[in-house]
């Protein structure tokens, strides 16, 4: 565990809570906070081990810094300091914390100068970068298969990819005579999953058909994955998102390329659907 003291945590809170208030960390959203830890530090800050004090970003950060060793705490704070400094510069904001840099450097020097016992549970890596690259290559290679085996291979590929990010998938099953490609859990919500690899972008008929399956279980949401995307006319005719979000093949390629966990991609799509009513928002609009 780190050797950070209560007075150190009060200073860290001063550094990160001035933008949005207590419980927040700078101007991070939930998705960008997770992405920051994943891309900058290769750490899964959403691991339940860091939620002992609660689920807010501030509480997760405090729990994380308390549990890790001094070297990891110092590395994390240095990365966050750079992010904070860039925010102050880009917004033209004067640092509201008195002697922030001097106090920060003193804290880092203390962490780097003091040995601490190794954490019983080392930080969980956000993901395996080699596996992410492998998934991207595997998805690309599926294009070489004939249509029927490609469809089955696409379903199996999605199951492996979702399982890699802890989404607890279930195998395909039948519900009142209808084939469902599978289901998974995201933030304790059950989602039905349907995968399509057809020549043309998916249209309104497929969207309505899948949504009809969701209507048979009032507590279920759905994710429709179409490798070749969705037609603009079909999305317009379908109307506002109800309990359905859409993912296209390009989203998957971009997530693997940018090393964004699939759970974070889905959370961003769910949130944007709730905010705008759009069942499909591309990766590039969610993670510019």
């Amino acid at each position: 565990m780190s050797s950070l003291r209560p007075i150190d945590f009060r200073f860290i809170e001063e550094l990160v809570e001035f933008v949005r208030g207590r419980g927040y960390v700078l101007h991070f959203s939930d998705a960008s906070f997770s992405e920051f830890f994943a891309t900058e530090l290769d750490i899964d800050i959403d691991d339940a081990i860091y939620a002992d004090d609660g689920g807010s970003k501030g509480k997760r950060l405090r729990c994380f810094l308390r549990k890790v060793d001094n070297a990891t705490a110092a590395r994390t704070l240095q990365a966050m300091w750079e992010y904070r400094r860039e925010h102050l510069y880009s917004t033209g904001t004067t640092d509201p914390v008195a002697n922030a840099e001097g106090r920060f450097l003193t804290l880092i020097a203390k962490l780097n100068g003091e040995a601490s016992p190794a954490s019983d549970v080392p930080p969980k890596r956000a993901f395996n970068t080699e596996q992410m690259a492998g998934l991207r290559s595997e998805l690309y290679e599926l294009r070489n298969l004939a249509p029927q085996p490609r469809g089955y291979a696409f379903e199996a590929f999605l199951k492996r990819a979702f399982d890699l990010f802890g989404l607890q998938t279930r195998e395909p099953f039948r519900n009142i005579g209808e084939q469902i490609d599978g289901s998974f859990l995201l933030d304790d919500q059950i989602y039905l999953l349907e995968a399509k690899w057809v020549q043309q972008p998916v249209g309104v008929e497929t969207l309505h058909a899948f949504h009809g399956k969701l209507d048979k279980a009032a507590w279920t949401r759905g994710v429709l994955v179409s490798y070749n995307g969705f037609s603009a006319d079909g999305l317009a005719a379908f109307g506002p998102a109800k309990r359905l979000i859409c993912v296209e093949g390009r989203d998957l390629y971009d997530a693997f390329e940018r090393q964004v966990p699939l759970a974070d991609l889905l959370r961003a799509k769910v949130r944007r659907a709730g905010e705008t009513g759009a069942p499909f928002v591309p990766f590039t609009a969610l993670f510019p």
Side-chain angles (χ1 to χ4, degrees):
M1 298 177 68
S2 75
S3 59
L4 290 167
R5 302 168 298 165
I7 191 172
D8 297 323
F9 281 109
R10 286 197 292 273
F11 171 54
I12 292 168
E13 289 168 359
E14 283 187 70
L15 290 178
V16 302
E17 292 183 347
F18 72 95
V19 179
R20 301 180 65 186
R22 190 163 181 79
Y24 290 94
V25 176
L26 299 174
H27 58 293
F28 285 115
S29 65
D30 288 342
S32 62
F33 186 62
S34 300
E35 184 182 11
F36 170 81
F37 269 84
T39 57
E40 297 293 330
L41 302 161
D42 197 13
I43 290 171
D44 180 10
I45 193 61
D46 296 317
D47 191 339
I49 195 174
Y50 305 128
D52 291 354
D53 304 327
S56 74
K57 292 178 283 295
K59 289 179 178 179
R60 279 186 284 148
L61 176 62
R62 184 185 183 96
C63 183
F64 171 80
L65 291 173
R66 187 174 68 243
K67 288 190 171 187
V68 298
D69 58 56
N70 280 346
T72 302
R75 184 166 64 96
T76 301
L77 291 172
Q78 285 174 317
M80 196 157 285
W81 176 263
E82 293 299 321
Y83 195 91
R84 179 184 188 271
R85 185 163 60 181
E86 175 60 27
H87 171 73
L88 291 172
Y89 176 79
S90 63
T91 59
T93 304
T94 301
D95 198 323
V97 179
N99 191 26
E101 186 165 8
R103 294 162 66 191
F104 174 77
L105 292 175
T106 299
L107 175 61
I108 295 300
K110 184 188 79 167
L111 289 171
N112 286 332
E114 295 181 6
S116 64
S119 172
D120 292 336
V121 182
K124 178 181 174 184
R125 293 188 65 186
F127 40 74
N128 185 311
T129 55
E130 291 181 357
Q131 284 179 314
M132 293 281 275
L135 286 171
R136 192 175 191 278
S137 297
E138 184 179 350
L139 179 58
Y140 185 83
E141 291 300 322
L142 291 181
R143 303 187 312 165
N144 298 324
L145 298 177
Q148 185 170 4
R150 184 174 61 204
Y152 291 120
F154 189 38
E155 291 175 18
F157 167 82
L158 289 174
K159 183 183 188 310
R160 286 197 305 279
F162 277 45
D163 283 340
L164 177 63
F165 296 101
L167 293 170
Q168 302 178 48
T169 60
R170 275 189 57 188
E171 298 287 350
F173 59 92
R174 289 191 175 276
N175 181 19
I176 318 179
E178 294 178 326
Q179 176 71 31
I180 305 292
D181 290 340
S183 65
F184 64 92
L185 283 177
L186 175 66
D187 299 330
D188 297 322
Q189 292 278 347
I190 298 172
Y191 287 77
L192 298 186
L193 174 67
E194 188 152 301
K196 297 289 184 185
W197 192 316
V198 291
Q199 204 66 19
Q200 300 299 322
V202 159
V204 67
E205 296 84 0
T206 301
L207 291 165
H208 278 310
F210 183 48
H211 195 270
K213 298 176 185 179
L214 303 180
D215 280 338
K216 296 177 181 178
W219 36 262
T220 304
R221 299 179 178 185
V223 174
L224 180 59
V225 182
S226 168
Y227 181 84
N228 284 316
F230 304 85
S231 72
D233 289 345
L235 290 171
F238 181 69
K242 302 172 181 70
R243 287 175 289 138
L244 168 63
I245 60 172
C246 300
V247 178
E248 67 178 4
R250 185 76 257 170
D251 293 329
L252 300 176
Y253 280 115
D254 288 340
F256 298 146
E257 178 69 25
R258 291 269 304 277
Q259 312 228 334
V260 173
L262 291 184
D264 289 347
L265 170 62
L266 295 173
R267 288 189 188 104
K269 282 180 173 282
V270 169
R271 179 166 184 171
R272 189 63 64 88
E275 293 170 343
T276 67
F280 173 70
V281 179
F283 178 95
T284 50
L286 298 169
F287 298 91

